Amino acid sequence: MPSRVAVASHPTEPTTFLLEARLWSGPANDRESIVASVGIPLTWTVTPAGAWHLETTPGNNFSKVVLEAGAAPMAPIEVKVEAGG
């Protein structure tokens, strides 16, 4: 679901965010992680290019966004995950 947060990195350490892709179609107790065994390939992207990158785990349902030490992005960063095609 789209969301916005304002961030700036620590001056000497990178700042990280761990994101998880989930699918659901009903109440909160029906939510399930999208794991590789489900057979739905996930594609993670972050734009625009800059002082950040993604570290995607095997299985692809988690991705870590890493903001380099001392970075303070002035424009919005978009992290997008697409399931399947």
Side-chain angles (χ1 to χ4, degrees):
M1 92 178 8
S3 184
R4 288 183 181 237
V5 295
V7 298
S9 189
H10 186 275
T12 60
E13 299 291 329
T15 298
T16 62
F17 300 89
L18 186 61
L19 305 176
E20 179 183 12
R22 302 187 85 167
L23 286 177
W24 67 88
S25 61
N29 61 350
D30 285 344
R31 295 177 186 185
E32 296 182 20
S33 295
I34 302 172
V35 293
S37 62
V38 175
I40 301 173
L42 299 179
T43 304
W44 292 85
T45 56
V46 61
T47 55
W52 44 84
H53 64 276
L54 289 173
E55 295 175 3
T56 304
T57 61
N60 241 5
N61 61 314
F62 285 96
S63 187
K64 186 188 323 182
V65 178
V66 180
L67 184 61
E68 294 174 10
M74 299 308 290
I77 300 168
E78 180 177 270
V79 177
K80 185 178 192 180
V81 61
E82 294 180 302

